[in-house]
């Protein structure tokens, strides 16, 4: 491969990114050196297997990727704000819309979801850790390394430009030479292996690691949503892995799986990628449904309405999602019979989704509803997701889809569902569980500023795009002429849409400010039960100790902590004598991080088709696996004295808070 253009040059924005990266690296190295934190960051974070710390790292990575993907969106909107704009060159625009979609789905939504999995699920089921702690660390570092490899393309080698799903033949070597498309393949491949491992880990954790007295029908709905999503991951992500492997063979080894002129079939790729891609949409939205179920029940002070139907609908969604992928290419000649089947399945999947909305509303009915930051995001979700769902049913009608397909109507629908469902849901979860993980609430005033800027900006941005779709504006266009801009009415609506996008960006800035401000000034949670919660995570200190539960909790039914609190208030609760025992916990290990570094070397080598580097990286991965298999000293016991000291400090804080309140 030609390496004469190893570094991307010629664009002022790229030079700005180069300077920003250098300054950020220098600042990090300086701070760690000046404050003598190299050993601390290695011991406490890089080598950690604590699911709570891994969840925090996922959260930080997701917010960082939300910023990066959001900047891409603002650049695209700036380019389309007026006719005949040359803010971005056509090639740069193609690269940006490719990276925007990839980052937002795979490197923002997925880690945000895994952050909530890690921070919440073991606490909700009364477990002291996940089933496979070291594998959990490997999952994070593979995701992180894959994301960093993908983002490196912006300044080294060049970004991919074949779209966020990279359909052949555009993604084949003949039309996308160079490292850009290889970055896309290897960044997603490495990250996807980590996602698959996370799915395995949480299926086993939920099924085998629950506190002994918790039955499946006692599990909180967020845990059920995690189980449904993880099961879907087990079915979907192997398809992605194999599809990317086939595309790699085409590009790297001269294969022809998807090259029509040599006996391949590009439509096979389209089918395979959407057999992963559409379940992926539900993989990321199901946990958001679980978040809303917890938030609505807590802030309505009621048991969730229709628990069984909620569980059934989650499982139904995870199953039916595998029978809807063809609706992404109704216009590609599959035939009326095929289109009818997938149109019906697409409409059917709206039913269990609608069931959830009614259950949440009935939960609020006659409840003592509190207006909090998590509830605000739920209120925003309901109308947004209803419009997104209704337009989805419109797209599910195969004949009508011939009009909507690849238009800005589709763009508006997709963002209405993904932002209104996934982003709003995960932000609600972040606000809800933030005091449990960090020990303090986020500032309410700044949070509301961020919320309203997000909401106003969202509707200003995406409502005009429905009209633009009906006016004939198609997706992926780089620019449009003055005739289309003014005679057809595209320009005013595009300008309005761009203003809305920047309002959402300002809302995100307020949220960052909110987090930074709250670190020092946020209301501290000294009781461990910041919201008067219902599930087990609120029964332990905030932040939770490394072992989570000193004594595994006894669960007598759903909403175990809420009913225990009611028994305590009524004087019916009989506290059993506490006898602490040493708690078995896993030791930290540097193997996951080192293995991920070797994956990075392999991915970088294969990206530039330097086979020696790629093979060397894979050998390093095998060596780390071999080394890990001979590590026998992998756990330790927390002594009783340390447990007693931690629990006594927590009880003293609670008593002090109660005395202050009285």
């Amino acid at each position: 491969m030609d390496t004469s253009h190893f570094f991307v040059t010629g664009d002022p924005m790229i030079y700005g990114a180069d300077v920003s990266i250098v300054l950020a690296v220098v600042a990090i190295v300086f701070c760690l050196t000046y404050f003598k934190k190299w050993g601390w960051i290695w011991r406490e974070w890089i080598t950690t297997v604590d699911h709570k710390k891994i969840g925090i790292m996922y959260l930080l990575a997701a917010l960082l990727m939300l910023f990066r993907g959001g900047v891409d969106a603002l650049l695209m909107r700036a380019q389309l704000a007026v006719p005949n704009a040359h803010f971005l060159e056509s090639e740069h625009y193609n690269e940006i819309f490719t990276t925007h979609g990839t980052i937002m789905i795979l490197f923002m939504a997925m880690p945000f979801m895994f952050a909530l999995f890690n921070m919440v699920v073991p606490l909700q089921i009364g477990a002291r850790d996940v089933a496979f702690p070291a594998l959990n660390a490997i999952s994070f570092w593979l995701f992180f390394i894959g994301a960093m490899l993908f983002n490196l393309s912006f300044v080294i080698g060049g970004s991919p430009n074949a779209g966020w799903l990279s359909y052949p033949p555009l993604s084949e070597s003949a039309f996308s030479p160079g490292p850009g498309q290889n970055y896309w393949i290897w960044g997603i491949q490495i990250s996807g292996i980590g996602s698959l491992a996370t799915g395995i880990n949480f299926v086993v954790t939920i099924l085998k690691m629950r506190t002994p007295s918790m039955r499946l029908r006692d599990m909180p709905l967020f845990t059920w949503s995690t189980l449904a999503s993880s099961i879907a991951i087990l079915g979907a992500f192997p398809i992605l892995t194999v599809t990317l492997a086939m595309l790699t063979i085409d590009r790297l080894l001269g294969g022809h799986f998807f090259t029509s002129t040599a006996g391949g079939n590009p439509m096979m790729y389209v089918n395979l990628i959407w057999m992963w891609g559409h379940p992926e949409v539900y993989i990321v939205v199901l946990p958001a449904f679980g978040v809303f179920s917890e938030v609505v029940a807590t802030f309505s002070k009621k048991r969730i309405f229709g628990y069984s139907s909620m569980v059934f609908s989650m499982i139904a969604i995870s199953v039916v999602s595998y029978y809807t992928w063809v609706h992404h290419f109704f216009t590609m000649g599959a035939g009326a019979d095929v289109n009818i089947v997938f149109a019906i399945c697409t409409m059917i999947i709206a039913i269990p989704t609608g069931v959830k909305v009614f259950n949440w509303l009935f939960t609020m009915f006659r409840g003592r509803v509190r207006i909090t930051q998590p509830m605000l995001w739920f209120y925003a979700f309901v109308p947004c997701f209803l419009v997104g769902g209704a337009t989805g049913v419109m797209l599910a009608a195969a004949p009508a889809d011939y009009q909507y397909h690849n238009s800005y109507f589709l763009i508006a629908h997709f963002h209405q569902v993904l932002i209104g469902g996934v982003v709003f849901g995960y932000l609600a979860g972040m606000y809800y569980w933030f005091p449990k993980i960090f020990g303090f609430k986020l500032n309410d005033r700044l949070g509301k500023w961020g919320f309203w800027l997000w909401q106003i900006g969202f509707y200003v941005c995406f409502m005009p795009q429905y009209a633009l779709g009906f006016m004939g504006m198609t997706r992926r266009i780089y620019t449009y002429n003055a005739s289309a801009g003014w005679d057809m009415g595209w320009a005013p609506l595009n300008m309005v849409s761009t203003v809305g996008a920047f309002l959402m960006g300002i809302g995100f800035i307020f949220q960052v400010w909110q987090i930074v401000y709250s670190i020092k000034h946020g209301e501290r949670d000294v009781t461990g039960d910041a919201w008067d919660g219902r599930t087990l995570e609120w029964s332990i200190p905030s932040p939770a100790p490394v072992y989570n539960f000193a004594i595994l909790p006894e669960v007598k039914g759903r909403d175990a902590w809420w009913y225990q609190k009611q028994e305590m208030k009524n004087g019916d609760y009989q506290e059993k004598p506490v006898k602490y025992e040493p708690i078995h916990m896993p030791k930290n290990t540097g193997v996951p991080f080192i293995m991920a570094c070797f994956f990075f070397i392999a991915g970088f080598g294969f990206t530039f088709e330097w086979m020696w580097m790629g093979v060397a990286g894979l050998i390093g991965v095998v060596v780390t696996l071999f080394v890990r298999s001979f590590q026998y000293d992998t756990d330790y016991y927390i002594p009783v004295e340390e447990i007693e000291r931690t629990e006594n400090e927590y009880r003293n804080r609670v008593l002090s808070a109660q005395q202050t309140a009285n």
Side-chain angles (χ1 to χ4, degrees):
M1 178 178 289
D2 180 17
T3 59
S4 59
H5 301 290
F6 185 73
F7 291 104
V8 180
T9 58
D11 191 316
M13 283 188 287
I14 301 296
Y15 295 136
D18 291 336
V19 173
S20 300
I21 292 170
V22 171
L23 291 177
V25 171
V26 170
I28 292 170
V29 171
F30 173 79
C31 290
L32 291 175
T33 304
Y34 182 80
F35 293 105
K36 299 179 181 179
K37 292 294 185 180
W38 285 105
W40 169 80
I41 198 170
W42 174 262
R43 292 188 305 271
E44 297 295 326
W45 295 97
I46 293 177
T47 63
T48 187
V49 294
D50 184 347
H51 67 91
K52 298 177 289 297
K53 289 184 177 179
I54 290 173
I56 291 170
M57 291 192 291
Y58 269 123
L59 178 62
L60 292 174
L63 293 176
L64 180 64
M65 291 296 102
L66 180 59
F67 170 76
R68 164 69 207 280
V71 169
D72 283 347
L74 295 181
L75 292 174
M76 287 190 289
R77 289 312 320 164
Q79 167 65 23
L80 293 171
V82 295
N84 295 321
H86 294 286
F87 174 67
L88 298 174
E89 297 302 323
S90 58
E91 183 69 11
H92 196 182
Y93 183 87
N94 289 342
E95 292 173 351
I96 285 176
F97 83 67
T98 298
T99 57
H100 167 73
T102 306
I103 286 171
M104 286 303 204
I105 295 295
L106 288 159
F107 300 133
M108 186 282 291
M110 291 296 287
F112 215 144
M113 177 180 78
F114 292 150
L116 297 177
F117 285 10
N118 276 279
M119 292 190 294
V120 178
V121 170
L123 304 184
Q124 283 199 333
I125 64 175
R128 289 186 172 130
D129 211 327
V130 296
F132 308 114
L135 182 63
N136 200 29
I138 291 172
S139 298
F140 169 75
W141 287 113
L142 288 183
F143 148 74
F144 186 78
I145 289 298
M148 292 303 100
L149 178 65
F150 181 85
N151 279 275
L152 196 63
S153 66
F154 191 56
V155 294
I156 296 179
S159 298
N161 60 5
W164 79 278
L165 287 177
S166 295
Y167 288 177
L170 188 57
S171 58
E172 295 278 359
S173 297
F175 297 97
S176 292
Q181 193 58 39
N182 294 338
Y183 269 121
W184 185 89
I185 292 171
W186 287 100
I188 294 177
Q189 188 72 288
I190 294 170
S191 178
I193 294 170
S195 299
L196 179 59
T198 300
I200 295 169
N201 209 342
F202 278 91
V203 167
V204 178
T205 297
I206 293 169
L207 295 181
K208 304 297 290 185
M209 298 291 287
R210 302 189 310 278
T211 186
S213 56
M214 179 177 280
R215 302 164 297 181
L216 284 174
R217 62 177 177 267
D218 298 330
M219 292 196 313
L221 284 173
F222 180 74
T223 299
W224 269 111
S225 71
T226 301
L227 180 61
S229 180
S230 298
I231 291 171
I233 286 173
L234 299 189
F237 270 79
I239 301 173
L240 176 66
T241 302
V242 171
T243 305
L244 295 180
M246 295 165 73
L247 186 58
T248 301
I249 291 171
D250 275 14
R251 290 183 57 85
L252 198 62
L253 303 177
H256 296 289
F257 285 110
F258 310 124
T259 312
S260 57
T261 55
N265 187 350
M267 275 303 298
M268 180 167 65
Y269 178 93
V270 176
N271 275 277
L272 287 171
I273 202 69
W274 280 116
M275 287 172 69
W276 160 79
H278 204 79
E280 166 67 4
V281 173
Y282 292 101
I283 285 169
V284 294
V285 82
L286 278 169
F289 294 159
V291 168
F292 290 132
S293 299
E294 303 297 333
V295 167
V296 170
T298 295
F299 296 112
S300 300
K301 290 197 172 184
K302 284 179 62 180
R303 294 183 72 174
I304 196 74
F305 181 89
Y307 175 92
S308 298
S309 63
M310 294 286 272
V311 172
F312 178 80
S313 63
M314 287 179 188
I315 301 301
I317 287 171
S318 67
V319 172
V320 179
S321 67
Y322 284 98
Y323 300 95
T324 60
W325 82 86
V326 172
H327 73 224
H328 290 276
F329 43 97
F330 277 153
T331 63
M332 293 189 184
D337 294 341
V338 173
N339 284 355
I340 288 171
V341 171
F342 284 89
I344 292 172
C345 288
T346 304
M347 295 177 185
I348 286 174
I349 206 169
I351 297 173
T353 305
V355 166
K356 296 184 185 318
V357 175
F358 283 108
N359 283 358
W360 291 321
L361 296 178
F362 281 127
T363 301
M364 295 170 61
F365 180 66
R366 291 183 178 175
R368 288 175 288 173
V369 179
R370 289 177 287 164
I371 308 300
T372 60
Q373 289 185 75
M375 277 298 282
L376 284 176
W377 289 99
F378 168 73
Y379 291 143
F381 155 80
V382 173
C384 186
F385 204 76
L386 286 178
V387 173
T391 53
V393 173
M394 292 172 66
L395 288 162
D401 190 67
Y402 277 78
Q403 173 65 36
Y404 310 135
H405 189 72
N406 272 344
S407 74
Y408 259 74
F409 183 92
L410 174 62
I411 298 296
H413 155 75
F414 187 73
H415 284 82
Q416 186 123 29
V417 173
L418 265 294
I419 295 178
V422 177
V423 178
F424 289 4
Y426 291 174
L427 288 174
M430 182 186 76
Y431 285 111
Y432 182 60
W433 283 299
F434 203 92
K436 173 52 55 183
I437 298 303
F438 295 97
F440 60 90
K441 292 182 180 179
L442 292 171
N443 181 268
D444 194 60
R445 180 174 57 87
L446 292 173
K448 288 180 178 177
W449 271 100
F451 170 81
W452 286 111
L453 284 166
W454 262 94
Q455 298 312 308
I456 296 170
F458 177 84
Y459 286 99
V460 171
C461 180
F462 292 108
M463 290 301 105
Q465 293 184 15
Y466 285 113
L468 284 168
F470 285 131
M471 292 176 178
M473 184 172 177
T474 57
R475 65 197 299 195
R476 302 191 183 100
I477 67 168
Y478 149 65
T479 190
Y480 52 95
N481 58 36
S483 175
W486 299 109
D487 296 344
M488 296 179 64
W490 291 8
L493 291 176
N494 271 299
M495 176 58 74
V496 170
S497 182
T498 299
V499 170
F502 277 88
L503 285 175
M504 285 193 287
I506 296 171
F508 178 76
I509 292 173
F510 267 91
Q511 290 177 307
V512 174
W513 180 15
Q514 176 191 23
I515 293 172
V516 174
Y517 178 85
S518 300
I519 290 173
K520 184 176 182 180
H521 302 287
E523 177 188 343
R524 263 45 194 175
D525 174 25
V526 295
T527 67
D529 194 4
W531 305 112
D532 193 17
R534 307 180 69 85
T535 45
L536 289 177
E537 72 268 29
W538 304 109
S539 67
I540 58 176
S542 299
V546 66
Y547 51 79
N548 295 345
F549 297 90
I551 302 293
L552 292 181
E554 183 178 353
V555 174
K556 298 179 181 178
R558 295 197 297 272
D559 294 345
W561 175 234
W562 175 262
Y563 287 105
Q564 182 178 323
K565 288 190 293 185
Q566 301 311 305
E567 289 179 348
M568 292 164 63
K569 288 180 181 178
N570 298 331
D572 299 329
Y573 180 72
Q574 296 181 350
E575 189 170 356
K576 296 179 180 179
V578 175
K579 182 181 180 182
Y580 297 120
E581 296 179 355
I583 296 176
H584 176 264
M585 297 297 294
K587 284 184 176 179
N588 289 357
T589 173
V591 169
F593 176 73
I594 296 170
M595 180 190 299
C597 290
F598 280 118
F599 264 109
F600 181 88
I601 293 170
F604 191 82
F606 287 129
T607 292
F608 283 90
E609 299 181 18
W610 299 336
M611 301 300 290
W612 60 271
M613 180 183 286
V615 172
L618 293 181
I619 291 173
V621 171
V622 173
V623 170
T624 54
L625 289 171
F626 184 79
V627 169
R628 176 64 183 175
S629 69
F630 284 95
Q631 286 184 338
Y632 300 110
D633 184 22
T634 58
D635 47 31
Y636 71 104
Y637 282 89
I638 300 175
V640 171
E641 295 77 15
E642 182 178 339
I643 300 169
E644 289 178 340
R645 183 171 62 253
T646 303
E647 295 299 308
N648 288 335
E649 289 175 357
Y650 167 57
R651 277 193 290 269
N652 291 335
R653 290 202 309 270
V654 173
L655 289 173
S656 177
Q658 290 173 345
Q659 291 170 359
T660 303
N662 295 330

